[in-house]
């Protein structure tokens, strides 16, 4: 079975600073990888996904992530954050040849300070 | 832009009472999912429907939880009786089909508090 580890439960950062949210996965087979964002009291919104092809994936709101197979990582980055990026971020993995339903990590709370 | 609708947004109930949540997926989406998200954790799948049929309910506590999607469109998740440990956010999501499960669209959720 696949699993996801989000290494930081909380990441505080100042506005306009760069940020990286870390995600590592475990799977013995090929996977699809995702990042979702959840604003307070709302559902999840897909930020970006890696299915195949280029290992650098660009998503909405200026976020990008890089798939590193040797490190089994899929870290999320943004070069300059805004106050409005304050939210919970979830990394998720699904088996590329399986049911496709993602398994979610525990989430990382990004807190952007002015 | 089409959205997944859920109601109610918030529900407070006493333990041992019955509670029900409703979800209306995006029009044309054949696959519907119910997740439970405990505070501080990621969502966990409770049940998956393909049209009106249950595809996976292996994580649904069937002694107290039930889910239906009678006409293959909207869906209801019920808990009876509710327990304190059921306090969580209940999220509904939909996708075009099972093969598109990686691209799910989530509703705003129902936050349940059991007292």
């Amino acid at each position: 079975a696949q699993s996801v580890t989000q290494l930081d439960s909380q990441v505080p950062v100042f506005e306009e600073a760069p940020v990286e949210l870390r995600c590592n996965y475990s799977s013995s087979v090929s996977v699809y990888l995702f990042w979702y964002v959840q604003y307070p009291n709302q559902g999840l919104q897909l930020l970006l996904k890696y299915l195949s092809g280029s290992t650098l994936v660009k998503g909405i709101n200026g976020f990008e992530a890089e798939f590193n197979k040797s490190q089994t990582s899929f870290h999320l980055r943004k070069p300059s954050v805004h106050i409005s990026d304050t939210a919970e971020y979830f990394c998720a993995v699904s088996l590329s040849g399986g049911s496709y339903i993602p398994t979610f990590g525990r989430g990382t709370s990004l807190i952007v300070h002015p | 832009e089409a959205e997944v609708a859920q109601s109610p947004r918030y529900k407070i109930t006493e333990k041992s009472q019955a509670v029900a949540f409703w979800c209306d997926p995006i029009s044309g989406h054949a696959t519907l999912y119910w997740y439970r998200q405990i505070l501080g954790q990621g969502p966990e799948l409770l049940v998956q429907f393909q049209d009106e049929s249950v595809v996976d309910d292996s994580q649904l506590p069937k002694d107290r939880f039930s889910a239906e999607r009678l006409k293959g469109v909207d869906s209801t998740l019920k808990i009876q009786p509710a327990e304190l440990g059921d306090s969580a956010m209940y999220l509904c999501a939909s996708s075009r089909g099972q093969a598109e499960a990686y691209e799910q669209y989530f509703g705003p959720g129902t936050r349940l508090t059991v007292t």
Side-chain angles (χ1 to χ4, degrees):
Chain A
Q2 70 274 25
S3 66
V4 173
T5 301
Q6 291 186 243
L7 298 163
D8 306 295
S9 59
Q10 202 171 81
V11 173
V13 65
F14 286 107
E15 194 174 20
E16 298 183 6
V19 71
E20 178 180 84
L21 306 184
R22 297 181 293 168
C23 172
N24 286 89
Y25 70 92
S26 173
S27 174
S28 58
V29 298
S30 295
V31 296
Y32 294 155
L33 293 157
F34 315 88
W35 276 98
Y36 286 83
V37 60
Q38 184 177 34
Y39 298 103
N41 292 315
Q42 294 187 27
L44 278 69
Q45 180 183 6
L46 182 65
L47 268 180
L48 48 80
K49 61 181 182 281
Y50 171 79
L51 303 181
S52 65
S54 173
T55 57
L56 183 63
V57 180
K58 293 190 184 297
I60 62 172
N61 301 340
F63 283 93
E64 64 180 31
E66 186 158 17
F67 171 54
N68 188 321
K69 190 174 181 179
S70 62
Q71 302 286 331
T72 61
S73 68
F74 190 57
H75 301 334
L76 181 70
R77 301 186 183 99
K78 186 170 183 178
S80 176
V81 294
H82 302 286
I83 296 287
S84 59
D85 292 323
T86 295
E88 195 80 14
Y89 291 80
F90 293 93
C91 182
V93 61
S94 71
L95 300 181
S96 62
S99 70
Y100 308 110
I101 294 176
T103 298
F104 292 86
R106 296 175 65 92
T108 296
S109 179
L110 175 63
I111 302 169
V112 182
H113 297 287
Chain B
E1 183 177 300
E3 295 180 342
V4 176
Q6 287 188 251
S7 67
R9 291 292 310 276
Y10 304 91
K11 180 72 178 179
I12 300 174
T13 191
E14 294 181 348
K15 65 179 183 178
S16 79
Q17 295 299 303
V19 64
F21 314 129
W22 176 80
C23 172
D24 191 12
I26 292 173
S27 178
H29 280 195
T31 311
L32 184 147
Y33 315 82
W34 282 102
Y35 289 87
R36 177 170 59 187
Q37 184 182 17
I38 295 170
L39 191 63
Q41 298 184 22
E44 294 179 316
L45 182 70
L46 290 175
V47 62
Q48 177 190 358
F49 288 92
Q50 178 66 25
D51 300 311
E52 67 276 9
S53 301
V54 173
V55 174
D56 182 359
D57 63 356
S58 57
Q59 300 304 310
L60 189 71
K62 298 181 189 63
D63 57 334
R64 298 184 300 106
F65 286 65
S66 64
E68 60 184 16
R69 194 184 183 199
L70 293 176
K71 296 183 179 178
V73 181
D74 58 338
S75 175
T76 302
L77 178 69
K78 296 178 181 176
I79 308 175
Q80 183 175 17
E83 295 181 353
L84 295 177
D86 296 332
S87 293
M89 174 80 90
Y90 290 83
L91 295 166
C92 179
S94 69
S95 64
R96 285 192 174 84
Q98 291 184 65
E100 290 80 25
Y102 58 82
E103 192 147 13
Q104 298 181 29
Y105 294 83
F106 284 81
T110 296
R111 181 166 295 285
L112 173 66
T113 302
V114 182
T115 62

